[in-house]
Amino acid sequence: MNIQPPKPAATPAIARDAVELQAHVATWRSAGQSIGLVPTMGALHDGHLSLIRAIKGEADRVVVSIFVNPTQFGPGEDFKTYPRDTEADLGKITAAGGDLVYLPGLGDMYPDGVTSDISAGPLGDVMCGASRPGHFDGVASVVARLLRQCLPDVAIFGEKDYQQLLVIRHMTATLNLPVRIIAAPILRQPDGLALSSRNRYLSAEDRVSAAALSATLRDLAARAGTPASNDGASLRALEAEGRQRLLDAGFTRVDYLDFRDGNRLERAEQASGDTRVFAAAVIGGARLIDNMAVTA
Ligand code: AMP
């Protein structure tokens, strides 16, 4: 019997700066292949991997970028301690079918200094933008760079960061970037908690309590769609109830819990097909966000 040694797991190609990235992209383009980009900050979980799998149906080649972007972190936030695990990420990207991992350095992204130079506009002022001033300018600035460096046909973003998705759609339209932005649904744990790199900050006890976030939003989204709750006063009452439920469950701060429309993020005065409920709240060492469409 001819026993073969196990094959080493294939690793995807790595580009460490924009020149290397563009060389790969040029080779693929000359072969007539289309390019998809999955921007991430690494510490990959199944939510990120679902983005890689989804974009494979939209493009011949998939680039996954990993860059922990300092300009989207505020003073006192977790930039320094944000989880970094590039070795493990490479294996996961290979298994999910990514072709190239882009690992730019700070100087590649911000050669003229680490500051945001693209405004997210009014979409970046509400919700997470109100509690994290400048956050979405940082997101817009880094994603614009990634898109210009890679020039993909399509880029994918998770609805987990729904406000970010809208900011990026707006930014690409304003800058006339020739890229199609697509969205992926939120991947959740069995108890409903949305997967997030920051979930690892939760203690075992807080991890159990954290399920109250998705459970509360699910309940409020269902009730907001019923005729009895479908006016501004009722929606405000549901928001207040939801905030209290999170505090009762062990969250220590609720930054917001709002019904808003899913395009312009304006406060909803009645629920329609576009309405979503959005929340950000702190439990233990983690600030968690989640959102859901109103279901009725
Ligand atoms: P991050 O690494 O946190 O910047 O996330 C990179 C991308 O993965 C963003 O487009 C996120 O919206 C997306 N993402 C993060 N968590 C999830 C999730 N649980 N389900 C789907 N997409 C996600």
Side-chain angles (χ1 to χ4, degrees):
M1 197 165 49
N2 183 10
I3 298 174
Q4 300 287 331
K7 277 192 190 161
T11 50
I14 295 175
R16 294 195 182 272
D17 59 34
V19 174
E20 288 181 17
L21 169 68
Q22 284 157 5
H24 283 277
V25 169
T27 305
W28 293 331
R29 289 258 178 244
S30 63
Q33 294 179 324
S34 58
I35 317 291
L37 176 67
V38 186
T40 81
M41 297 207 299
L44 301 183
H45 52 64
D46 285 346
H48 297 111
L49 303 185
S50 74
L51 268 53
I52 299 175
R53 295 195 181 99
I55 206 170
K56 279 176 74 66
E58 307 285 330
D60 299 315
R61 295 290 185 169
V62 175
V63 179
V64 181
S65 64
I66 299 177
F67 180 68
V68 184
N69 173 37
T71 64
Q72 70 189 70
F73 290 79
E77 290 187 358
D78 56 345
F79 173 66
K80 286 221 169 70
T81 53
Y82 193 84
R84 289 161 173 88
D85 199 354
T86 308
E87 278 310 306
D89 290 346
L90 294 179
K92 292 175 187 172
I93 292 168
T94 308
D99 295 289
L100 177 69
V101 184
Y102 180 38
L103 299 174
L106 203 56
D108 299 299
M109 302 305 282
Y110 295 103
D112 297 326
V114 183
T115 53
S116 301
D117 51 7
I118 295 183
S119 166
L123 282 171
D125 292 338
V126 297
M127 294 181 1
C128 284
S131 30
R132 305 180 70 190
H135 168 69
F136 289 108
D137 295 342
V139 168
S141 299
V142 77
V143 174
R145 282 163 167 75
L146 291 168
L147 292 174
R148 287 194 293 229
Q149 292 170 351
C150 183
L151 294 178
D153 300 273
V154 56
I156 190 164
F157 296 87
E159 288 185 345
K160 160 82 176 10
D161 301 276
Y162 195 95
Q163 187 174 10
Q164 166 173 282
L165 170 68
L166 294 186
V167 163
I168 289 164
R169 282 194 199 285
H170 176 260
M171 179 273 291
T172 54
T174 308
L175 299 181
N176 297 303
L177 296 182
V179 59
R180 193 159 55 91
I181 302 297
I182 59 173
I186 302 175
L187 212 72
R188 299 178 179 281
Q189 299 280 6
D191 68 355
L193 180 68
L195 297 188
S196 164
S197 307
R198 289 189 169 101
N199 290 350
R200 64 182 77 187
Y201 297 157
L202 295 168
S203 68
E205 189 188 341
D206 289 340
R207 168 63 192 83
V208 173
S209 306
L213 179 56
S214 60
T216 300
L217 295 190
R218 196 175 301 284
D219 178 44
L220 296 185
R223 285 164 56 199
T226 61
S229 303
N230 198 356
D231 59 68
S234 302
L235 294 179
R236 300 294 85 82
L238 286 176
E239 291 166 352
E241 179 194 320
R243 282 192 289 272
Q244 191 56 50
R245 272 168 67 172
L246 294 183
L247 295 172
D248 292 346
F251 284 79
T252 50
R253 194 181 85 214
V254 181
D255 283 348
Y256 59 84
L257 189 157
D258 296 349
F259 287 96
R260 293 179 180 257
D261 89 87
N263 298 311
R264 297 163 60 84
L265 299 182
E266 285 163 355
R267 289 298 282 271
E269 294 304 327
Q270 61 177 58
S272 75
D274 276 342
T275 311
R276 301 184 78 86
V277 58
F278 298 90
V282 174
I283 184 164
R287 179 179 179 279
L288 304 181
I289 60 172
D290 201 348
N291 70 92
M292 270 175 218
V294 167
T295 39

